[in-house]
Amino acid sequence: MNYLKSLLPWIAFAVVATQFDWRWSGLTGLVVSAALLLLARREGRKADTLIIEWSGFVFFVLLTAVALAFPASPLKTYTGALTDAWLSLTAWGSLAIGKPFTLGIARTTTPEKFWDNPVFKRINVILTTAWALSFTVGGLAGIALLNYAPHATFALITLKVLGFGVPVAFTILYPRKARARAQQAA
């Protein structure tokens, strides 16, 4: 469940955003991001395990700066969609450079002898793609909802829950099935 730990700043941001101004939610995401990075440094975690954490830290620095400098900015309305868009760019970018963000996280719980295994690498490309697709759909759907049904709070919350819940479930289930298929084929 290292994935959930990596997403904690985003989850904290979303929870605070439902109750408070975007300045507070941005600041919450920033503080949680910074705390995770400090904790990761103490634990000696490698850079490839911290792609989402560093991405979140940069996002929340930028968001908090904008929110504090321009509290009435029209971006305020789209912060939920912006988080998905940012995470989408992070995930697609990690795939584009051949370093799927899930790979480093998976290495923390997988014996090193499997790290160069093509099945292990392929599983992580598929997992990162699933996350990227979920973030992309979430961002686009969030923008559409905010433009056409801005008061559909339940739909927006459901979208966020599904946007994280579906890839979490996929991340748990898919590797098991893929490994089982690979073992049967061998």
Side-chain angles (χ1 to χ4, degrees), residues 157-175:
I157 291 170
T158 302
L159 180 64
K160 279 292 178 198
V161 169
L162 289 174
F164 283 98
V166 170
V168 164
F170 185 74
T171 299
I172 292 167
L173 298 173
Y174 177 73

Side-chain angles (χ1 to χ4, degrees), residues 35-50:
L36 277 181
L37 287 169
L38 288 172
L39 180 63
R41 183 176 179 176
R42 273 192 179 160
E43 293 171 349
R45 288 180 51 196
K46 295 183 180 182
D48 67 339
T49 69
L50 300 171

Side-chain angles (χ1 to χ4, degrees), residues 9-30:
W10 305 93
I11 295 167
F13 166 82
V15 169
V16 172
T18 63
Q19 299 297 318
F20 299 99
D21 185 82
W22 72 315
R23 292 170 286 189
W24 292 110
S25 56
L27 192 57
T28 298
L30 178 59

Side-chain angles (χ1 to χ4, degrees), residues 8-94:
L8 193 57
W10 305 93
I11 295 167
F13 166 82
V15 169
V16 172
T18 63
Q19 299 297 318
F20 299 99
D21 185 82
W22 72 315
R23 292 170 286 189
W24 292 110
S25 56
L27 192 57
T28 298
L30 178 59
V31 168
V32 174
S33 290
L36 277 181
L37 287 169
L38 288 172
L39 180 63
R41 183 176 179 176
R42 273 192 179 160
E43 293 171 349
R45 288 180 51 196
K46 295 183 180 182
D48 67 339
T49 69
L50 300 171
I51 294 170
I52 293 296
E53 286 87 348
W54 277 108
S55 175
F57 181 76
V58 170
F59 176 81
F60 290 119
V61 164
L62 295 172
L63 180 74
T64 302
V66 170
L68 291 173
F70 308 103
S73 169
L75 287 177
K76 173 182 180 177
T77 304
Y78 296 96
T79 56
L82 287 173
T83 62
D84 286 328
W86 185 274
L87 285 165
S88 173
L89 290 172
T90 300
W92 289 119
S94 74

